Amino acid sequence: MKDVYILAIESSCDETSMAIVKNGHEVVSMVVNTQMDTHANYGGVVPEIASRMHAENITMVLEETLKQAKMKVSDVDAIAVTYAPGLNGSLLVGIECAKVLSLVYNKPLIAVNHLAGHIYANHIDNEMNFPLLALVVSGGHTDLILMHKDYDFHVLGRTLDDAVGECYDKVARVLGLKYPGGPNVERLAKEGQPTYKLPTIMDDGSLNMSFSGLKSAVINLVHNETQRGNEINTSNLACSFENAALGELERKTDLALSKYQVQELIIAGGVSANKHLRSIMENLANKHQIKLSVPPFKYCTDNAAMIGSAAYPLFLQKKFATHDLNASSHLDLY
Ligand code: KG4
Ligand code: ZN
């Protein structure tokens, strides 16, 4: 079969990214332009600023992606773009760019769900072995997904309130750490001991999870101790929080692996960059004698290579989008 090159665009949050991906798992080129430093001044992503910066940067990102690949738009077979979920204004910049390229160069348009992208980040430089269990852990999602084949997503359990990444970000803020909180909490936690007693989460025997009680417990603890004039040992608190949060992910993933026979466990989304989580999942995979697949660090957080990878099965199935494609901020994958 002829090689398939997909030009993929990701702009759902605060990264403007494009990539050219060959046959769904070979990254020919990738550019990620992050706005992180700008949003760090506000303690989180400001949607209006994010969409303006996407609009300012997207042409430059396209030129650089093509230059790195030594290719022209006319050389690719399809244009893929993230259409949901995400910030509406940000998504629209990527979508409009994709539509223009698709129309001008007469290439099929492929609409990709951002979460499918995170899962298919595991397909880059790698094969996915079905059936598999995917733990999707990002700023907006915490889901356990069973897949028997491509694009066959069954939700076994999910957070009933906050996503684990969001919880990391809120805890970071109350500890006085900079945005994005996850990596900074991880760094601080490594220096500490789990000395603070925090509530254990959702022990109801289901595969659902909950993180808002833990988040509130950390915030309340910091406020109460500050009011009393007591000093907080921030590295010990970060460590106690991380142990509780990752402990919840460990228990529920372990339970899912006991209930469902799979060949492989994969982790996906921004929080999968966490080294402590990776080692917990490595141990679980060993315990259940299955393979663990983890995306390389650069494909854990938002990037367009994962969108190109997730677009490939849709290309093979000729599932193309029409040019009235619109953004959707809350659309569910499953
Ligand atoms: O997947 P992602 O880049 O964006 C969304 O789709 O949400 O995930 C971002 C989330 C943020 O909440 C960030 O704090 C968290 O992933 N994150 C981490 C780490 N790196 C990123 N959380 C814990 N440890 C990390 N090393
Ligand atoms: Zn993401």
Side-chain angles (χ1 to χ4, degrees):
M1 199 180 110
K2 181 185 163 294
D3 287 331
V4 174
Y5 292 87
I6 296 178
L7 171 63
I9 305 173
E10 156 64 40
S11 68
S12 65
C13 192
D14 59 344
E15 264 90 29
T16 320
S17 179
M18 287 201 202
I20 294 177
V21 180
K22 181 180 166 186
N23 300 331
H25 56 237
E26 194 181 314
V27 181
V28 181
S29 70
M30 177 174 88
V31 175
V32 182
N33 183 293
T34 180
Q35 309 168 1
M36 207 179 283
D37 289 345
T38 303
H39 297 292
N41 295 322
Y42 305 92
V45 178
V46 183
E48 177 64 24
I49 295 177
S51 43
R52 280 168 190 251
M53 289 184 77
H54 285 306
E56 277 166 24
N57 293 328
I58 201 155
T59 321
M60 181 186 75
V61 171
L62 172 63
E63 277 175 6
E64 186 58 30
T65 307
L66 293 169
K67 194 171 137 197
Q68 279 184 18
K70 298 190 178 66
M71 290 175 79
K72 301 188 286 303
V73 181
S74 53
D75 297 330
V76 306
D77 299 283
I79 311 292
V81 64
T82 306
Y83 76 105
L87 303 170
N88 244 19
S90 292
L91 287 164
L92 280 172
V93 177
I95 291 172
E96 291 311 314
C97 175
K99 283 187 199 173
V100 168
L101 293 175
S102 160
L103 280 165
V104 171
Y105 292 91
N106 195 23
K107 304 287 176 188
L109 180 67
I110 303 175
V112 177
N113 185 294
H114 184 77
L115 295 174
H118 276 304
I119 291 173
Y120 278 87
N122 284 281
H123 190 54
I124 301 171
D125 301 329
N126 196 17
E127 284 305 321
M128 299 212 295
N129 300 293
F130 299 112
L132 62 78
L133 179 73
L135 173 66
V136 181
V137 276
S138 73
H141 282 78
T142 308
D143 300 337
L144 277 164
I145 316 279
L146 180 66
M147 290 179 74
H148 287 104
K149 55 183 182 352
D150 275 320
Y151 273 83
D152 166 62
F153 305 108
H154 299 273
V155 184
L156 303 180
R158 57 172 28 160
T159 179
L160 299 177
D161 39 60
D162 294 344
V164 64
E166 183 187 344
C167 214
Y168 263 93
D169 294 335
K170 295 276 161 55
V171 166
R173 195 186 287 192
V174 79
L175 293 179
L177 303 173
K178 273 185 84 175
Y179 172 86
N184 291 327
V185 172
E186 180 183 13
R187 248 188 304 277
L188 193 62
K190 227 171 264 153
E191 297 162 12
Q193 294 297 323
T195 54
Y196 286 93
K197 206 164 162 36
L198 295 169
T200 0
I201 337 181
M202 290 285 289
D203 233 349
D204 63 351
S206 82
L207 292 171
N208 288 326
M209 294 164 269
S210 164
F211 294 94
S212 72
L214 174 64
K215 176 190 76 182
S216 304
V218 175
I219 294 172
N220 290 340
L221 191 148
V222 172
H223 288 164
N224 291 339
E225 293 298 296
T226 312
Q227 270 171 2
R228 290 191 192 114
N230 297 336
E231 213 174 292
I232 307 265
N233 183 322
T234 50
S235 47
N236 284 357
L237 186 53
C239 179
S240 309
F241 159 74
E242 182 158 279
N243 275 13
L246 301 187
E248 171 80 340
L249 296 176
E250 179 179 14
R251 273 190 303 280
K252 295 301 163 107
T253 308
D254 192 15
L255 187 58
L257 290 174
S258 312
K259 286 189 174 180
Y260 297 89
Q261 285 283 325
V262 293
Q263 287 212 45
E264 186 176 19
L265 169 64
I266 69 179
I267 55 175
V271 185
S272 66
N274 186 290
K275 293 207 186 77
H276 188 179
L277 177 67
R278 287 169 175 236
S279 90
I280 288 173
M281 292 300 149
E282 183 80 60
N283 289 341
L284 274 187
N286 286 340
K287 175 179 163 189
H288 292 272
Q289 296 182 322
I290 55 171
K291 189 182 163 221
L292 173 71
S293 170
V294 177
F297 284 108
K298 63 181 169 186
Y299 303 131
C300 285
T301 45
D302 293 347
N303 67 86
M306 68 186 197
I307 302 303
S309 183
Y312 183 65
L314 298 176
F315 179 90
L316 294 181
Q317 294 165 26
K318 295 195 170 25
K319 288 199 174 146
F320 300 131
T322 50
H323 288 112
D324 58 359
L325 177 68
N326 207 342
S328 175
S329 53
H330 292 294
L331 201 75
D332 224 328
L333 166 63
Y334 321 112

